[in-house]
C-alpha cells in the first residue's frame, strides 16, 4: 500500500460549494486522496471558487499567486480550480495560469478521477461542459460525516435571470434531483448520525421532480428515523407555494427559519433587476408565512447601489426592512458582472453606494441584535454540534440558527436539548439545559 495522497480544499461562496467540496473530496478518495486541513505538505490544492461578486472572483488569482513558490519547490504538487469561476473562466485560467493542472466546473466533478489520472501523466485537464449524464449518478456514496448537521443539494441551477446575477450562467438551468435518490441520501446521512438537514438549491423552492414539490420532499424526510430538523435555502419569493407555507405551520421538523431574499424595497429597482415581484408581493408572502409560523425568523439578501438606484429607492429598501424586522440579513454593494444585463448600465457613484451600504448594515445589525437579545429567558432547542472551549460546555444552534453555548457536562454531540437562554453575548447566546 502506498501512502494516501493529501488533498487540501479551500472553499469560497455559498453552501452549494461547501456541499460540492465534500463530494469532490469523496470522489478523489477513489484516486487515493484523503483530505487534510494543512496546506503545507498537500499533494493537491483545490480552490473551489465563487463568481458572484468581483471581489469573490479576485480571490482565486491572489490564491494562485501565493501558491507559485510551493509549486516551484515541488513540481509534483497538483493545483486544481473548481466552482463557478472555473465554469465561467476556465479556458482563461488555463491560459493565464500555467501552474494550474486541472479546471473543473460544478456540473463535471464526477469526472475528477479520470482527470486526476490524466494530470498524473503530466497533462492538463479541463471540464466545463454541462454533461448529459447526471454527476450524482457517478459519485461515490456519502461516507464520513462531519457532524450532526449536513447539507443536501436537491436542486441546482437557476432559470430566473435576475439582471445582476451570474448564477444562471455558471450553474446552468434548473434541475431537480429525483426524490427517491434524495430520500436514500437522507436516510444514509441519518444512519451516520446526521440529525439536521439543510436542503440546498439556488432556487430550492422551485424543486419539482417525480411528482414531488419541496413541501412533499420535506414532509417525507421529516418521517425518516433520526432526522429531527429540516430547513432549506435559497428561495425565491415567487416560488413560495401554498403547500410550502402550510408546511411551516404543520411540519414540526421544519425549522422556524426562512431565508427569503428580496434584494430591494423599491418596485422600480425590483423591475430593473428582473425580480418579477413587487415589494408588496413579497410582504404578502411574509405575512402568510408568519401566520403559519408566528415565531419564524426571517432573513434576506440586499443589494445596494444597483444601477439607477436613487435616494428614494434606497429609502424604500430601508422602509421595507423596518416593516419586516429581520432576524439576520446579508447586504452587498452591487458588483457589475461580465455578461449580465445590468453590467451594461451606468453604476451608482461608489461613495454613495458605500454610504448606503453602511446605513443599511447598521439598521440590519440593530435588528439582528434585537432578535438575539429577545431570546433571553426563552426556551429553545439546541442541536449540539461540538464541545465548547470551556470544560463542561457544548456548542450548537437553536431552531432559529442562533449559536448557543450551553453549560452541560453530560452533553453529547448530536443531542437535541431544551435549553433556557440566560444571556445574549456579542455573537452567541448562553444557556442551561431545562432540568
Ligand atoms: N439564489 C439565491 C442567491 C444567489 S447569490 C437567490 O436567488 O437569492 C446570493 C446573493 O448574492 C444574492 O441574493 C444577491 O443579494 C447577491 N448578489 C448576486 N449577484 C450580485 C452582484 N452582481 N452584486 C452584488 N451582490 C450580488
Ligand atoms: Fe441569481 Fe436571481 Fe437566480 Fe437567485 S434567483 S440565483 S439572484 S438569478
Ligand atoms: Fe458563488 Fe457559484 Fe454559489 S457564484 S454564490 S459559488 S452558485
Amino acid at each position: 500500500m502506498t501512502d494516501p495522497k493529501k488533498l487540501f480544499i479551500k472553499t469560497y461562496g455559498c453552501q452549494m460549494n461547501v456541499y460540492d467540496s465534500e463530494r469532490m473530496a469523496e470522489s478523489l478518495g477513489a484516486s487515493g486522496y484523503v483530505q487534510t486541513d494543512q496546506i503545507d505538505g498537500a499533494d493537491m490544492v483545490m480552490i473551489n471558487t465563487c463568481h458572484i461578486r468581483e471581489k469573490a472572483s479576485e480571490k482565486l488569482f491572489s490564491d494562485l499567486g501565493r501558491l507559485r513558490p510551493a509549486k516551484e519547490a515541488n513540481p509534483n504538487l497538483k493545483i486544481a480550480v473548481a466552482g463557478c469561476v472555473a465554469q465561467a473562466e476556465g479556458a482563461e485560467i488555463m491560459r493565464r495560469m500555467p501552474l494550474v493542472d486541472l479546471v473543473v466546473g460544478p456540473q463535471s466533478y464526477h469526472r475528477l478521477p479520470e482527470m486526476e489520472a490524466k494530470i498524473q501523466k503530466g497533462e492538463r485537464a479541463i471540464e466545463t461542459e454541462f454533461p448529459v449524464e447526471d454527476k450524482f449518478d457517478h459519485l461515490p456514496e456519502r461516507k464520513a460525516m462531519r457532524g450532526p448537521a449536513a447539507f443536501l443539494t436537491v436542486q441546482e441551477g437557476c432559470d430566473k435571470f435576475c439582471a445582476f446575477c451570474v448564477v444562471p450562467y455558471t450553474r446552468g438551468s434548473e434541475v431537480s434531483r429525483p426524490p427517491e435518490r434524495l430520500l436514500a441520501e437522507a436516510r444514509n446521512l441519518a444512519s451516520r448520525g446526521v440529525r439536521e438537514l439543510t436542503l440546498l438549491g439556488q432556487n430550492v423552492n422551485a424543486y419539482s421532480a417525480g411528482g414531488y414539490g419541496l413541501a412533499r420532499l420535506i414532509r417525507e424526510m421529516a418521517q425518516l428515523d433520526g432526522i429531527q430538523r429540516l430547513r432549506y435555502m435559497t428561495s425565491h419569493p415567487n416560488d413560495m407555494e401554498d403547500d410550502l407555507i402550510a408546511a411551516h405551520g404543520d411540519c414540526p421538523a421544519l425549522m422556524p427559519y426562512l431565508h427569503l431574499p428580496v434584494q430591494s424595497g423599491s418596485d422600480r429597482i425590483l423591475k430593473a433587476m428582473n425580480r418579477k415581484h413587487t415589494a408588496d408581493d413579497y410582504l404578502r408572502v411574509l405575512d402568510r408565512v408568519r401566520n403559519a409560523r408566528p415565531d419564524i425568523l426571517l432573513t434576506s439578501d440586499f443589494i445596494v447601489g444597483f444601477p439607477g438606484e436613487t435616494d428614494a429607492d434606497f429609502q424604500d429598501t430601508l422602509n421595507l426592512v423596518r416593516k419586516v424586522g429581520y432576524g439576520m440579513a446579508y447586504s452587498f454593494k452591487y458588483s457589475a458582472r461580465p455578461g449580465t444585463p445590468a453590467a451594461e448600465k451606468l453604476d451608482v457613484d461608489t461613495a454613495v453606494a458605500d454610504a448606503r451600504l453602511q446605513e443599511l448594515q447598521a439598521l440590519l445589525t440593530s435588528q439582528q441584535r434585537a432578535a438575539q437579545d429577545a431570546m433571553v429567558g426563552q426556551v429553545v432547542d439546541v442541536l449540539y454540534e461540538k464541545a465548547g472551549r470551556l470544560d463542561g460546555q457544548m456548542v450548537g444552534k437553536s431552531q432559529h440558527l442562533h449559536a448557543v453555548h450551553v453549560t452541560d457536562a453530560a452533553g453529547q454531540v448530536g443531542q437535541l436539548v431544551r435549553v433556557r437562554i440566560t444571556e445574549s453575548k456579542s455573537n452567541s447566546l448562553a444557556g442551561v439545559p431545562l432540568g
Side-chain angles (χ1 to χ4, degrees):
M1 279 270 296
T2 50
D3 278 348
K5 290 174 276 184
K6 295 195 198 103
L7 168 68
F8 177 85
I9 306 186
K10 182 155 182 184
T11 306
Y12 293 105
C14 60
Q15 285 91 344
M16 308 278 291
N17 264 13
V18 176
Y19 177 87
D20 289 343
S21 287
E22 287 179 10
R23 306 267 349 219
M24 288 192 283
E26 290 163 5
S27 174
L28 283 168
S31 312
Y33 285 85
V34 293
Q35 220 177 329
T36 167
D37 52 11
Q38 300 292 320
I39 190 163
D40 293 331
D43 298 285
M44 185 189 291
V45 173
M46 175 182 274
I47 308 171
N48 194 7
T49 58
C50 173
H51 201 233
I52 202 83
R53 284 168 291 274
E54 197 179 356
K55 276 210 180 101
S57 289
E58 281 167 356
K59 290 195 181 118
L60 169 65
F61 293 98
S62 62
D63 282 354
L64 289 176
R66 261 182 277 126
L67 281 169
R68 195 165 285 134
K71 177 87 176 179
E72 278 163 8
N74 172 16
N76 290 330
L77 170 65
K78 301 296 178 198
I79 296 181
V81 177
C84 291
V85 184
Q87 186 63 46
E89 295 173 9
E92 168 89 4
I93 294 167
M94 280 300 212
R95 201 166 48 74
R96 268 180 58 189
M97 292 286 172
L99 85 170
V100 172
D101 299 285
L102 184 159
V103 165
V104 64
Q107 300 308 331
S108 317
Y109 61 72
H110 56 296
R111 295 185 178 167
L112 274 170
E114 316 152 33
M115 297 175 77
E116 200 274 341
K118 198 167 160 192
I119 65 174
Q120 287 304 339
K121 285 190 260 162
E123 295 169 42
R124 301 173 87 200
I126 175 165
E127 291 277 359
T128 52
E129 300 298 305
F130 290 100
V132 282
E133 78 270 17
D134 180 352
K135 68 170 177 261
F136 294 109
D137 290 347
H138 295 81
L139 288 169
E141 204 183 87
R142 313 298 315 268
K143 280 197 262 351
M145 280 334 299
R146 286 148 216 258
F151 293 138
L152 173 50
T153 293
V154 305
Q155 178 275 341
E156 289 193 284
C158 180
D159 296 337
K160 297 279 191 295
F161 290 93
C162 298
F164 50 81
C165 185
V166 293
V167 171
Y169 311 96
T170 60
R171 294 274 175 166
S173 52
E174 283 177 13
V175 179
S176 297
R177 297 177 62 193
E180 60 279 10
R181 302 284 174 80
L182 295 171
L183 286 159
E185 190 169 332
R187 224 175 270 121
N188 177 0
L189 290 169
S191 74
R192 296 173 195 283
V194 169
R195 297 292 164 258
E196 177 188 306
L197 278 179
T198 302
L199 308 185
L200 296 180
Q202 266 90 23
N203 256 291
V204 70
N205 56 343
Y207 177 85
S208 170
Y212 282 62
L214 185 63
R216 183 169 170 203
L217 191 64
I218 287 171
R219 288 180 201 283
E220 293 197 13
M221 286 193 179
Q223 300 303 318
L224 300 178
D225 273 350
I227 298 298
Q228 293 179 291
R229 282 177 159 185
L230 287 155
R231 58 193 177 96
Y232 57 93
M233 72 188 304
T234 295
S235 310
H236 193 285
N238 290 357
D239 293 321
M240 286 304 291
E241 304 286 348
D242 295 350
D243 57 348
L244 185 57
I245 295 177
H248 277 284
D250 62 33
C251 180
L254 186 55
M255 295 165 75
Y257 180 97
L258 176 63
H259 181 60
L260 197 63
V262 64
Q263 314 297 353
S264 166
S266 154
D267 287 344
R268 221 175 56 81
I269 294 298
L270 287 169
K271 190 153 196 287
M273 286 177 163
N274 192 31
R275 289 287 295 183
K276 302 199 176 83
H277 61 77
T278 63
D280 266 349
D281 296 335
Y282 175 79
L283 292 170
R284 269 196 297 274
V285 170
L286 292 190
D287 275 347
R288 293 179 57 218
V289 176
R290 273 182 164 151
N291 279 335
R293 186 75 202 242
D295 69 336
I296 199 156
L297 186 141
L298 297 168
T299 81
S300 177
D301 294 340
F302 294 91
I303 294 178
V304 302
F306 185 80
E309 185 188 69
T310 63
D311 272 329
D313 294 318
F314 178 63
Q315 289 305 320
D316 287 345
T317 298
L318 294 176
N319 285 334
L320 178 136
V321 171
R322 288 187 197 105
K323 262 188 217 157
V324 173
Y326 287 98
M328 215 267 304
Y330 301 96
S331 46
F332 310 101
K333 188 164 94 166
Y334 169 72
S335 167
R337 305 306 290 129
T340 60
E344 310 293 313
K345 307 263 174 61
L346 204 62
D347 280 1
V348 168
D349 178 77
T350 317
V352 171
D354 283 335
R356 286 180 189 162
L357 184 64
Q358 274 196 14
E359 191 175 349
L360 177 60
Q361 285 184 339
L363 174 61
L364 291 168
T365 306
S366 71
Q367 291 194 344
Q368 179 171 346
R369 182 83 254 157
Q372 195 190 293
D373 291 349
M375 300 315 295
V376 175
Q378 302 225 30
V379 174
V380 302
D381 295 320
V382 180
L383 179 66
Y384 289 166
E385 293 184 1
K386 57 182 184 199
R389 246 179 284 147
L390 302 178
D391 241 11
Q393 191 188 55
M394 298 300 295
V395 189
K397 299 258 170 57
S398 75
Q399 68 271 35
H400 298 116
L401 291 192
H402 286 125
V404 189
H405 290 79
V406 186
T407 310
D408 185 355
Q412 301 281 329
V413 170
Q415 276 181 319
L416 191 64
V417 177
R418 306 272 288 157
V419 169
R420 182 176 301 284
I421 299 301
T422 52
E423 198 186 341
S424 176
K425 303 185 175 186
S426 58
N427 285 314
S428 65
L429 297 165
V432 289
L434 264 199

